[in-house]
Amino acid sequence: MSGISTAAIHADRDVDRGRALAPPIYQTAAFWAEDAEQFARAAVDRRGRGFYTRYGNPNHAQVAAVLAELEHTEAAMVTASGMAALTSAVLALVSSGDHVIGQRSTYGGTASVLLNLLPRLGVSTTVVDQADPAAFERALTPRTRLMLLESPSNPLLQITDLRAVADLARAHHVLTMADNTFATPVNQRPVDLGIDLVWHSATKYLNGHSDVSAGVLAGPAGLLDRVWDVAVLTGAVLGPLDAWLLLRGLRTLPLRMARHNANGQALAEALHEHPAVARVHYPGLPAHPQHALASRQMSGFGGVLGIELAGGFEAADAFLGRLRYARRSASLGGVESLAVHPASMWRGMLSAEQIAASGVAPGLVRLSAGTEDTADLVADALAAAGPAAGERTR
Ligand SMILES: *Cc1c(COP(=O)(O)O)cnc(C)c1O
């Protein structure tokens, strides 16, 4: 098997490229058939690429070919967003009466699927502390069908022991699905650790340029066929142009991640020592309580960090206001630095108690380090952290 940078460039070279050097954009809603027999065959070709674009398109197949090789899986598929990937998979894999285990620290949309959507459909759910593999075991019931994992988690960068939880789940015939958005296959391959299905918000690092909404699922072909059967019904189709843009983004994923990793690490180390900063959540810091586990299952730690300002809510808001490069935005994983203050973003959605229960401190800022020059980002963040930066004597 080739290296990851080679795979990102060549894995799709035999998929509907013809003699075009760059992949053509198949901007079509449907395909035509020569005869009734061919038409009938195309109609049942799961994750195919020659019937109807909601069922599959060559641009989807090209992205899937690259993603499967990057994630070390048999197959992959694309969806209209990360949430479309999650809901299609969950609706395919569980039924009324089943039980699902998730994490307390997890992406907000995933939390809402666990706490609102699934219970409404008669699926019971339990959320556990992801830092404790035994908590997953205690949550098991005879009806448990699926575990929804996320590591590192959004926005606290907590780590799940993917191998330990995958082994536990397998022993109990429970499927595991891991959100690999923060790590990307450059830094972590959940399937190599025993996870069944990997999913992504490709809106983030995989595309990397903040100009596409997309989702990805990667895993065994048989499981993806089941998910595809539902995705066709939910209409979670990714537009051909967006699939093409995602593929273009993927070409440089390994290059971009190298810089995101370097910038995340440099910012974490610089801010960790700043007197205005109470705590930095970043798995690459030896001070992270799960640094040893993160080092075992990851080869880099990404560009997202949680910065807890000592001055609380107002200090976090002021820090964001003073950042010169990172703008306030809910997204992450793009070439441009972005930052968000969860406590103020969630004010309209969650009560103060719900925010506190999620473990998010009022002074927490989530910073997504882009691919700008490391020195510029570090100088900017130190200046924004407050006058203390200039007045320090050491
Ligand atoms: C953004 C995000 C999602 C949701 O993906 P969309 O593409 O916005 O639907 C899921 N998980 C994580 C970790 C995310 O950051």
Side-chain angles (χ1 to χ4, degrees):
M1 196 175 275
S2 57
I4 194 161
S5 296
T6 307
I9 290 162
H10 291 289
D12 63 309
R13 69 195 258 168
D14 298 324
V15 186
D16 287 323
R17 293 275 285 273
R19 290 180 54 79
L21 186 58
I25 305 171
Y26 290 82
Q27 192 67 41
T28 180
F31 303 82
W32 58 271
E34 297 278 1
D35 52 44
E37 198 188 319
Q38 190 190 17
F39 199 58
R41 239 184 303 118
V44 294
D45 185 16
R46 287 179 165 119
R47 294 175 289 108
R49 49 185 200 260
F51 179 63
Y52 189 64
T53 283
R54 175 158 56 81
Y55 285 50
N57 174 294
N59 294 113
H60 299 162
Q62 289 158 351
V63 180
V66 171
L67 251 303
E69 213 161 305
L70 298 190
E71 287 286 6
H72 288 181
T73 56
E74 185 186 359
M77 59 182 271
V78 290
T79 55
S81 65
M83 288 312 295
L86 176 67
T87 52
S88 300
V90 167
L91 292 177
L93 301 176
V94 303
S95 301
S96 168
D98 289 345
H99 175 246
V100 174
I101 301 174
Q103 301 181 174
R104 189 171 302 142
S105 173
T106 199
Y107 176 69
T110 307
S112 195
V113 166
L114 285 162
L115 302 177
N116 302 316
L117 182 66
L118 287 177
R120 207 154 54 66
L121 302 178
V123 177
S124 59
T125 60
T126 307
V127 294
V128 302
D129 172 8
Q130 75 191 92
D132 178 14
F136 289 89
E137 184 156 22
R138 283 194 300 274
L140 281 170
T141 77
R143 294 308 304 265
T144 307
R145 292 283 172 275
L146 180 65
M147 293 190 190
L148 294 181
L149 312 174
E150 182 179 324
S151 184
S153 70
N154 185 2
L156 287 175
L157 286 301
Q158 290 178 358
I159 307 296
T160 308
D161 188 333
L162 294 176
R163 189 182 289 283
V165 177
D167 286 350
L168 168 77
R170 191 145 296 184
H172 291 85
H173 308 286
V174 171
L175 287 170
T176 47
M177 241 182 106
D179 183 339
N180 206 29
T181 300
F182 270 36
T184 83
V186 176
N187 288 336
Q188 167 176 284
R189 286 192 175 99
V191 166
D192 288 350
L193 300 167
I195 297 295
D196 296 305
L197 269 181
V198 177
W199 70 285
H200 282 269
S201 169
T203 313
K204 314 292 169 53
Y205 286 116
L206 295 188
N207 178 63
H209 295 74
S210 308
D211 51 11
V212 166
S213 275
V216 162
L217 282 150
L223 263 184
L224 291 184
D225 284 349
R226 288 170 61 191
V227 177
W228 180 88
D229 286 343
V230 170
V232 160
L233 301 181
T234 55
V237 58
L238 183 64
L241 174 60
D242 285 347
W244 185 91
L245 283 165
L246 172 55
L247 182 57
R248 180 184 169 122
L250 282 172
R251 304 294 190 210
T252 55
L253 176 70
L255 283 170
R256 287 184 284 108
M257 287 315 293
R259 178 64 74 88
H260 286 297
N261 287 344
N263 284 351
Q265 188 74 35
L267 281 165
E269 283 170 13
L271 289 167
H272 167 66
E273 307 209 311
H274 193 286
V277 174
R279 205 172 147 194
V280 174
H281 303 261
Y282 187 74
L285 278 183
H288 188 290
Q290 297 170 293
H291 177 64
L293 169 61
S295 305
R296 270 205 307 282
Q297 68 185 21
M298 304 178 78
S299 56
F301 305 103
V304 181
L305 48 156
I307 304 156
E308 224 171 286
L309 278 296
F313 191 99
E314 279 74 29
D317 186 56
F319 174 75
L320 238 75
R322 282 193 294 264
L323 285 173
R324 193 169 146 199
Y325 299 112
R327 284 189 283 199
R328 280 179 211 263
S329 174
S331 198
L332 60 93
V335 290
E336 65 287 276
S337 289
L338 298 172
V340 68
H341 179 205
S344 57
M345 175 172 74
W346 292 347
R347 244 185 328 196
M349 311 180 225
L350 302 175
S351 67
E353 294 75 48
Q354 284 174 316
I355 295 176
S358 74
V360 169
L364 183 81
V365 166
R366 185 190 71 197
L367 179 63
S368 168
T371 57
E372 298 95 338
D373 288 291
T374 309
D376 288 338
L377 294 188
V378 169
D380 189 35
L382 286 177
E391 287 165 15
R392 274 185 307 170
T393 47
R394 74 191 153 76

